[in-house]
Each structure stands twice: as structure tokens, then as C-alpha cells.
Amino acid sequence: MRAPAAGLQPMEMSFLGNTLDRQSTRRGDKAYIEGLLQRPDTQFVLSTDKTLVFRGDDIQSIGHSLAEAVALGAETGEMVFLGLRPENGQAVFATTIPHSDEDLSERPGLQSIDLRNLALKNLLSPEDLGALAQARALIHWHRTHRFCSSCGEQSIMAEAGYRRDCPTCGAPHFPRTDPCVIMLITDGDRALLGRPARLPEGIFTTLAGFMEPGETIEQAVRRETLEESGIVVGEVQLISNQPWPFPANLMLGCVGTATTFDIEIEDDELEACKWCSREEVRQMVAGTHPEEHKIPPSISIAYELIIGWLDGVI
């Protein structure tokens, strides 16, 4: 693997700006965490199973008070400690509330919005958007891992939300992050872009897929590209990475050099795949493509890879 390229500007991507001091060595100190919970300035990020909850039109304030959180049904025993704000030491926690988005729509003074739309609309600072990515990933894990995978009994939160313990068999369970490779494959002058059916109409993007046990990053790039497009990849370069809280992935951005060029779609991952010249990609970016094809929005590492290639920095 070659050294990473220096030309990308990764802070343009979303979810990279989290500056919270996670206080990881103090998570097991119950008295310390309880003291933070009770501080009057502590903020609590609230979430349903799908969206984040804000006060009225005040999107700029990501947190609620403890009293507000409890009034909405939050359980103090299920509050995850995110960290301390470095500028003032303010503690930030996150938790889920037992309400649907439909319930909240009928409550005055509250609104819910999903994290992807927050990023697309650029409504928050990079620091807060990064903290919300941490919150959503952890909340999702707690919602989906309430029961012990060893014996089936209900587990309890430990380490301020960074572990769940089974009181019956003693098994500890830890939050997971799933690594994914996301890769721009080129032949030098052309980029390989595909269209998964799940994307909005007209969007073509880089190929991507989950890493499998026992794989290196390079091996995963080659396997996923071959599976999705039939293209064989030689050299692979790791460019950048990005937390992607949908629900809890780490995107490993790569570029790869194709050694074959005939596309064969053999599975149901893509509904279309094609080689695109730089001129065609420029049309996609400018919104002048004759078939109205586009690339993904700038919140994603896919955008950074495509633009980096187009500008000649990778």
C-alpha cells in the first residue's frame, strides 16, 4: 500500500469534527458519572429509534436538560456518556426516548429530524454533528443489544454506556463498529461508478462493501469490486476514513487501479455500472449531464474520492 494522498480535504466530509473528551479512563467511576448526570449544565441528546429530537426550531442546541429528558420517558440507567466539551467542560450524554416520530409531531415545542438530513442541510457545527454521530451509533447499539447473546437474558448498561453486562452469566458485550471499504476504481482516465437501487434516481457513486473476517483492506476492495462489477483490481491505496453512523460503520476510503475493463454485473448489488470519463463526471458535478446523472452529496467520502480524482489530487 502506498502512502495516503495529501490532496483531500477530509474536514469537508460530515461526522469528522467530534472534539468531545470521552474521559474513557473514568467511565467505570459510577460516582463521577452520577455527578456529571446531576450537573445543571449537562446536556442530554435525545433520540427516537429513527431521529434526533430538538426543542422547537432550535436546531443549534443539540441537548436537553435532565428534567426534560426524564419527562419524555428517558431512563437514567440507560444514558450514555459521550464526553466533555473541551471549551467549558460541559458534559454531554445521549439516550433514547420511548416515543415514535408520529408521537412527537403532536407535541408542541419539539421536532425530530434524522441525522442524514442534518448533515445535508449543514445545520450544525462540525463538532456537534460529530457528537451526534457518536450518539446515534451508540444509541442504536443499545436499542438492538438489550439481551445477552450468550444466554438470552436481559443485559444492563455498564461503563457509562460502553459495555453491557449480563447479570445472569456474566458475559460482557461491547459496542460494535463495522468497517466498510468504499473505493474509487480507475483505469487512469476513467472512473468506475455504480448505481445501487437504494440511491435516489440518477445518482452514480463509488463501489462499497463490508469487510469480512480475515481480510485486509486491499483484499476487501478487490473482492467487493469483482463481486459487484466483474472488474479485477491491482494496486490499492488507502486515502481517508469517515465515521458513518447509519447505523455504526467506519468507511475506509480507497482508490484502486483496474487491471481488467469489461463490466459484468453478476449480483443484485447494482442496477447499473459504467466507466465515466473526467468530462462526464464534470457534467455530473455541474448538473449538466445529458441523462441527469449525478454524484453523491458532499457529506460522504464517496464525494471526496470522486472530486479528488477529478481534480487530480489522488
Side-chain angles (χ1 to χ4, degrees):
M1 180 183 293
R2 297 177 300 190
L8 289 183
Q9 301 298 318
M11 287 304 292
E12 294 178 10
M13 295 183 286
S14 295
F15 315 122
L16 301 186
N18 191 352
T19 58
L20 292 178
D21 177 358
R22 300 186 182 214
Q23 297 278 291
S24 58
T25 60
R26 304 196 68 179
R27 290 172 185 159
D29 186 339
K30 293 184 179 179
Y32 173 70
I33 297 300
E34 182 62 28
L36 294 178
L37 279 169
Q38 298 301 327
R39 276 178 17 183
D41 66 335
T42 295
Q43 289 188 318
F44 296 85
V45 174
L46 301 184
S47 175
T48 69
D49 61 340
K50 297 178 181 178
T51 62
L52 293 154
V53 182
F54 297 87
R55 295 191 199 94
D57 296 327
D58 187 13
I59 298 297
Q60 298 305 310
S61 177
I62 67 171
H64 301 253
S65 70
L66 179 59
E68 290 168 334
V70 171
L72 287 169
E75 300 178 25
T76 56
E78 289 289 327
M79 292 182 173
V80 179
F81 175 56
L82 301 181
L84 304 180
R85 293 189 181 275
E87 65 272 18
N88 57 16
Q90 183 183 43
V92 184
F93 287 77
T95 192
T96 187
I97 56 175
H99 293 281
S100 68
D101 295 323
E102 291 74 19
D103 293 337
L104 292 176
S105 67
E106 299 175 359
R107 284 178 170 263
L110 294 174
Q111 70 163 312
S112 58
I113 183 169
D114 68 275
L115 184 56
R116 192 185 302 266
N117 276 332
L118 281 172
L120 286 170
K121 295 178 180 179
N122 196 28
L123 296 175
L124 293 170
S125 69
E127 292 79 8
D128 279 351
L129 200 60
L132 291 180
Q134 178 189 359
R136 281 292 296 162
L138 282 165
I139 286 171
H140 177 268
W141 181 73
H142 282 286
R143 289 182 66 92
T144 56
H145 289 77
R146 291 186 177 274
F147 296 91
C148 176
S149 59
S150 296
C151 71
E153 292 296 320
Q154 186 163 348
S155 61
I156 57 175
M157 184 181 288
E159 289 287 322
Y162 291 81
R163 196 177 77 218
R164 295 192 73 88
D165 291 340
C166 178
T168 301
C169 72
H173 305 280
F174 299 90
R176 59 181 292 169
T177 296
D178 298 317
C180 300
V181 288
I182 181 165
M183 50 278 186
L184 183 72
I185 306 304
T186 81
D187 67 358
D189 294 323
R190 299 180 300 170
L192 183 69
L193 300 181
R195 220 204 96 65
R198 59 180 169 77
L199 291 184
E201 186 65 31
I203 291 184
F204 278 74
T205 186
T206 55
L207 306 189
F210 287 100
M211 291 190 66
E212 294 187 351
E215 276 189 321
T216 66
I217 294 172
E218 296 93 333
Q219 289 167 343
V221 166
R222 295 180 184 116
R223 175 185 54 78
E224 283 287 346
T225 302
L226 184 63
E227 289 176 358
E228 294 187 7
S229 67
I231 298 296
V232 176
V233 174
E235 186 176 13
V236 173
Q237 180 184 7
L238 177 64
I239 295 295
S240 186
N241 64 93
Q242 178 190 26
W244 192 247
F246 305 109
N249 301 331
L250 177 64
M251 308 303 290
L252 302 168
C254 302
V255 293
T257 302
T259 59
T260 65
F261 313 103
D262 293 332
I263 297 171
E264 295 181 12
I265 301 177
E266 295 182 354
D267 59 20
D268 58 359
E269 290 286 335
L270 300 176
E271 66 176 28
C273 187
K274 63 178 180 175
W275 287 107
C276 300
S277 67
R278 279 189 166 83
E279 179 55 33
E280 183 175 7
V281 175
R282 288 191 185 95
Q283 291 175 336
M284 293 179 178
V285 174
T288 59
H289 193 277
E291 297 177 72
E292 298 185 347
H293 293 170
K294 303 174 183 178
I295 67 170
S298 60
I299 67 169
S300 71
I301 201 168
Y303 176 91
E304 295 293 327
L305 291 171
I306 294 169
I307 296 299
W309 170 78
L310 191 62
D311 291 344
V313 298
I314 62 173

